Amino acid sequence: MSEINMEWYRSFYWTARMGSLSRAAEQLHITQPAISHTLKQLEHALGGPLFFRSAKGVSLTAEGEVMLQYVEQAFNLFESGEKRIADMRNLDEGEIRIGAGDTLSKHYLLPFLEKFHKEYPNIRIHVTNQTTPETLNLLKEGKMDIGIVNLPAEDRKVKFLRSLAQQDCLVGGKAYAKLSLRLHQEPLALAQLHEYPLIMLEPGGSTRHFLDRYAASAGVELKPELELGSLDLLVQFAISGFGLAFVTRNYVEQELARGELVEIPLTPAIPERHIGVAMLRGVPLSSASKRFISLLPFAEVDVDDVDVDE
């Protein structure tokens, strides 16, 4: 394909539509000689005339009629593209691709997705359930726009915004109620945890890594008897009396209030951590993604930080 300036086609299009060089010049806010010169360049590049002149203005040659069909399609596509971009910026269409684990999807993400969907029903929402490491990999591969992850997490290619705080704790079923009462006076030393059956998440996720590091900092190695794939399973197995489980207190408040679970105080205490909103550095967010992130609660973060065009 020959390299032809798009402005040539713009001049051709408006001259054909207006039937006059002067009116086309007015439409494009340029001079009539400029239009005439541009059309001569286009005709030279294509190897023949596209217009013939008459007393009433200009008319298309047979070749010009053929060219107009394609140029009109091209300009209609341009207009359609501009309209779609405007719709996306106005949140009348578009999509968001979010990666999050099962627990974060259920207990953190879902209420905000419901609110966003009610406000912007035409935005398609794609959620992929993955662990924090898997979510970060998908983000760096360009398959996700936003990741909802457990902090701490580090990656030089990813920007993390701290959202809600969450507190991990050790819980057991009703069989551990007396132990719980006794330990509120003197918490259980982490080194003594090996005396009880322990239930934990499977290795590989950020939560398990965080708890293993917490224990290691106190010189303790956690050796669970059961390793499960989700927090909901941990809760159910603990309620059923299979042992003590590390869970996120924020997500078991109802079970604790009903007495189905009791908390086992530990020393040293488990450090607080946060939910993180992850975005790829240097990649601007879509209007839909920016709007969704603006609905999320952040800790010590200016809301302007959601515009990560750095």
Side-chain angles (χ1 to χ4, degrees):
M1 179 179 176
S2 59
E3 295 184 5
I4 300 179
N5 192 315
M6 282 300 299
E7 289 304 316
W8 297 355
Y9 284 113
R10 192 180 302 277
S11 295
F12 166 79
Y13 175 72
W14 284 106
T15 301
R17 283 194 59 179
M18 307 304 291
S20 164
L21 294 178
S22 60
R23 288 200 294 271
E26 291 175 3
Q27 180 69 36
L28 294 172
H29 305 289
I30 58 178
T31 63
Q32 181 173 330
I35 286 279
S36 180
H37 177 69
T38 297
L39 292 178
K40 287 180 182 178
Q41 289 179 298
L42 178 60
E43 289 174 332
H44 177 75
L46 294 177
L50 298 172
F51 295 96
F52 59 86
R53 279 70 175 171
S54 68
K56 296 182 179 180
V58 295
S59 300
L60 289 167
T61 63
E63 292 84 353
E65 292 281 3
V66 171
M67 178 57 68
L68 180 61
Q69 295 177 25
Y70 292 96
V71 172
E72 279 184 327
Q73 291 181 44
F75 275 85
N76 287 336
L77 285 173
F78 292 151
E79 290 180 5
S80 296
E82 291 172 352
K83 183 180 183 302
R84 288 202 64 184
I85 290 176
D87 288 343
M88 292 171 71
R89 293 194 179 279
N90 294 329
L91 303 181
D92 292 323
E93 71 167 81
E95 66 176 6
I96 306 176
R97 301 169 302 166
I98 303 174
D102 290 342
T103 300
L104 290 174
S105 293
K106 175 182 177 180
H107 295 284
Y108 173 82
L109 187 59
L110 185 56
F112 300 111
L113 285 178
E114 288 176 340
K115 181 177 181 181
F116 182 85
H117 184 60
K118 287 180 181 178
E119 292 185 20
Y120 307 104
N122 295 326
I123 302 296
R124 297 187 301 278
I125 299 171
H126 306 278
V127 178
T128 301
N129 292 132
Q130 301 286 354
T131 64
T132 288
E134 292 168 337
T135 294
L136 295 180
N137 285 334
L138 289 174
L139 194 64
K140 290 185 290 185
E141 292 171 4
K143 297 177 180 178
M144 296 289 139
D145 303 311
I146 306 166
I148 306 299
V149 301
N150 287 305
L151 299 180
E154 294 182 2
D155 193 301
R156 61 184 181 84
K157 295 183 178 180
V158 178
K159 179 171 185 173
F160 298 96
L161 302 181
R162 287 199 310 161
S163 187
L164 296 180
Q166 53 183 352
Q167 180 63 59
D168 296 282
C169 66
L170 186 68
V171 298
K174 294 178 180 179
Y176 292 93
K178 291 183 179 179
L179 176 64
S180 175
L181 286 173
R182 188 174 78 247
L183 292 175
H184 274 82
Q185 304 299 321
E186 186 177 347
L188 179 70
L190 189 60
Q192 294 179 274
L193 194 53
H194 69 276
E195 300 174 7
Y196 304 92
L198 182 62
I199 312 169
M200 295 186 69
L201 289 172
E202 297 169 335
S206 61
T207 295
R208 175 63 184 270
H209 182 62
F210 169 77
L211 292 169
D212 283 338
R213 287 185 61 183
Y214 149 71
S217 69
V220 175
E221 182 182 359
L222 298 176
K223 297 181 178 180
E225 294 187 8
L226 289 172
E227 294 178 318
L228 304 173
S230 71
L231 181 136
D232 287 344
L233 282 175
L234 292 179
V235 171
Q236 291 305 312
F237 271 69
I239 289 175
S240 298
F242 283 90
L244 300 179
F246 282 106
V247 300
T248 305
R249 185 188 296 140
N250 311 56
Y251 306 148
V252 295
E253 290 177 347
Q254 292 183 2
E255 290 83 353
L256 289 169
R258 291 194 297 260
E260 296 173 340
L261 291 175
V262 294
E263 184 171 350
I264 308 299
L266 285 172
T267 182
I270 306 174
E272 181 184 75
R273 57 190 179 128
H274 286 77
I275 295 169
V277 180
M279 296 157 284
L280 203 59
R281 290 187 181 276
V283 178
L285 291 172
S286 67
S287 298
S289 295
K290 288 180 183 178
R291 176 58 185 141
F292 176 71
I293 289 178
S294 73
L295 299 178
L296 303 178
F298 290 102
E300 301 174 6
V301 172
D302 191 317
V303 71
D304 290 339
D305 267 345
V306 302
D307 192 355
V308 289
D309 298 343
E310 50 182 65

